[in-house]
Amino acid sequence: MYRITVLPGDGIGPEVIDEALKVLNVISNKYNVKFDTKKYLFGGIAIDKYNTPYPKETEEACLNSDAVLLGAVGGPKWDMLDGDKRPEAGLLALRKSLGVYANLRPATLFSPLRGSSPLKDELLKDGLDVLVVRELTGGIYFGPRGTEKTEYGYKAYDTEVYDTKEIERIAYIAFEIAKKRKKKVTSVDKANILDSSRLWRKVVNNVSQKYPDIELNHLYIDNCSMQLIKDPSQFDVILTSNMFGDILSDEASQLTGSIGMLPSASLRGDKVGLYEPVHGSAPDIAGTKKANPLATILSLAMMLEYSFDMVDAAKDIRQAVNNILEDGYRTADLGKGKILNTQEMGDIVVKYLKE
Ligand code: NAD
């Protein structure tokens, strides 16, 4: 029995979460595994009731679960609140309280969606299946920062800081995952300029000694961002720092077409993880049944794979999604085809999984 804390959140969050839970139910029956799922308030809806986006009760449930599944938070109703009181502040608090330091964002192009990618078809003939492993709790977003008055105006600074332990633990995650994929890690840094990157490279090289079967290469961030567009099929796992990963994962994700297809996982080196679609709460389409639930369903597949070792169940879900797209079914964000609403897309995933 696995305990999953479910945080539907705001906007389209509850809509896409409901479809993922339908899929989880089928997986439970098909693989004879029990999941105890319980929903808690998080984000704007929690602010309305408890005046905080991440209430104590929700935090306790998250800390006592095997995995957390999150929809999305935020919306115009809470936009006028101060930064630390907004729904999005709950996201940082949640990641911090779970201690998840590794953010995994796969950019996988389902072949029926090749036409939605901004890349030329000839660049996609070998497929696109890149996993960005981004360090999530260190680097410039957390280093010493400040703004000081000068004679002329102000001086502001942020500092990139990494220590051996922080680099080592994220490197291990990248190499372990590469073992189950195409066995290649590309570490991305700016070692020609930055001391922190030189340490990054040294530590990654040391960790790689323990993985003789995994190919390792290093790229500078500027070159990597170019190569992703020029020749994306050269990549398997991209291992990088917080800021470089923030930028590269967005770039890679756009190569796959729609934000409605992109899942993510945040891990901390054991089985506990946080799983969420990359998209936000999409207030512009909330309540219209237009939300694509596939990013959340694919986040669920990541949970099955990374938190519960149910690799076959995860593959099953990805295959069902591919077959559905192959058969021409789409939600509105995916362009022309047999257009389904949110619930219908969830239902058809359930149907294909049962077949
Ligand atoms: P968004 O991702 O919510 O929406 C961007 C665009 O993509 C919109 O046009 C939306 O309709 C579309 N879209 C997003 N998800 C979709 C889906 N599943 N199916 C179909 N179309 C989809 O980003 P935004 O508009 O910049 O932000 C809206 C709110 O969400 C803001 O309050 C923002 O702070 C919040 N946000 C939350 C998260 C999160 O919870 N992790 C992430 C990003 C943004």
Side-chain angles (χ1 to χ4, degrees):
M1 162 90 92
Y2 293 115
R3 262 178 303 178
I4 304 174
T5 297
V6 182
L7 310 176
D10 312 310
I12 63 168
E15 301 168 30
V16 292
I17 282 285
D18 280 350
E19 302 315 307
L21 292 180
K22 274 187 203 164
V23 171
L24 184 66
N25 195 29
V26 181
I27 294 292
S28 170
N29 292 329
K30 197 167 171 180
Y31 289 85
N32 204 17
V33 177
K34 286 210 158 42
F35 301 100
D36 175 18
T37 58
K38 218 162 163 207
K39 289 182 183 171
Y40 286 85
L41 296 183
F42 182 66
I45 190 167
I47 293 176
D48 289 350
K49 185 154 183 209
Y50 296 110
N51 212 20
T52 165
Y54 190 34
K56 269 271 153 283
E57 193 195 10
T58 303
E59 181 173 8
E60 263 163 38
C62 290
L63 292 176
N64 287 312
S65 54
D66 298 304
V68 178
L69 182 65
L70 168 65
V73 297
K77 186 175 174 191
W78 305 281
D79 277 352
M80 68 308 199
L81 297 176
D82 287 343
D84 59 338
K85 300 207 171 61
R86 287 173 56 131
E88 294 82 351
L91 287 173
L92 296 183
L94 171 65
R95 289 171 190 156
K96 195 168 168 209
S97 81
L98 285 174
V100 285
Y101 59 81
N103 185 226
L104 274 51
R105 284 196 25 193
T108 313
L109 181 66
F110 288 89
S111 53
L113 293 182
R114 263 164 79 160
S116 314
S117 172
L119 290 188
K120 285 191 194 121
D121 207 45
E122 68 205 58
L123 292 175
L124 299 169
K125 62 182 186 320
D126 298 325
L128 173 62
D129 184 10
V130 183
L131 179 72
V132 179
V133 177
R134 164 189 171 196
E135 202 288 325
L136 198 59
T137 54
I140 198 165
Y141 293 175
F142 293 90
R145 61 172 62 195
T147 306
E148 288 165 14
K149 194 139 181 43
T150 63
E151 235 169 72
Y152 186 74
Y154 290 92
K155 156 173 108 171
Y157 59 94
D158 302 274
T159 321
E160 174 88 343
V161 188
Y162 272 115
D163 65 28
T164 305
K165 192 173 165 222
E166 285 172 310
I167 304 168
E168 227 171 48
R169 63 186 190 179
I170 187 84
Y172 275 115
I173 288 201
F175 280 94
E176 283 297 320
I177 289 172
K179 271 205 298 203
K180 297 179 198 153
R181 295 174 47 100
K182 285 183 255 156
K183 300 191 169 39
K184 182 173 177 190
V185 171
T186 301
S187 176
V188 177
D189 59 38
K190 189 71 183 166
N192 50 344
I193 309 273
L194 303 175
D195 272 4
S196 53
S197 280
R198 282 192 272 274
L199 179 66
W200 181 278
R201 199 173 270 220
K202 201 168 146 194
V203 175
V204 171
N205 277 332
N206 284 344
V207 171
S208 80
Q209 303 293 314
K210 300 213 170 77
Y211 296 87
D213 297 341
I214 310 281
E215 181 191 343
L216 168 69
N217 70 328
H218 299 275
L219 285 183
Y220 297 136
I221 174 68
D222 36 350
N223 188 15
C224 182
S225 50
M226 224 162 44
Q227 295 294 332
L228 257 177
I229 292 174
K230 205 172 143 214
D231 179 16
S233 63
Q234 69 181 283
F235 294 106
D236 178 21
V237 174
I238 292 179
L239 160 65
T240 192
S241 62
N242 203 342
M243 183 164 68
F244 294 161
D246 192 359
I247 299 164
L248 282 182
S249 58
D250 265 26
E251 185 190 353
S253 69
Q254 279 315 298
L255 305 181
T256 67
S258 168
I259 194 167
M261 295 296 297
L262 298 169
S264 80
S266 301
L267 308 175
R268 63 176 197 205
D270 60 11
K271 295 286 173 204
V272 176
L274 166 66
Y275 300 86
E276 55 182 314
V278 167
H279 62 73
S281 60
D284 53 333
I285 56 165
T288 65
K289 299 190 176 177
K290 282 192 186 145
N292 181 350
L294 293 177
T296 311
I297 290 170
L298 292 167
S299 301
L300 177 72
M302 291 186 86
M303 176 190 288
L304 295 169
E305 180 169 353
Y306 294 114
S307 280
F308 309 142
D309 274 332
M310 296 178 66
V311 179
D312 288 342
K315 273 193 195 146
D316 222 4
I317 292 177
R318 290 184 194 117
Q319 190 59 54
V321 169
N322 193 66
N323 293 349
I324 286 163
L325 297 169
E326 198 78 67
D327 290 346
Y329 295 104
R330 302 280 187 272
T331 41
D333 56 304
L334 299 177
K336 289 199 184 96
K338 300 175 216 168
I339 300 295
L340 303 179
N341 70 27
T342 310
Q343 287 90 341
E344 287 165 344
M345 185 53 96
D347 288 343
I348 205 157
V349 176
V350 165
K351 178 167 169 258
Y352 275 56
L353 276 172
K354 282 183 175 165
E355 274 169 7

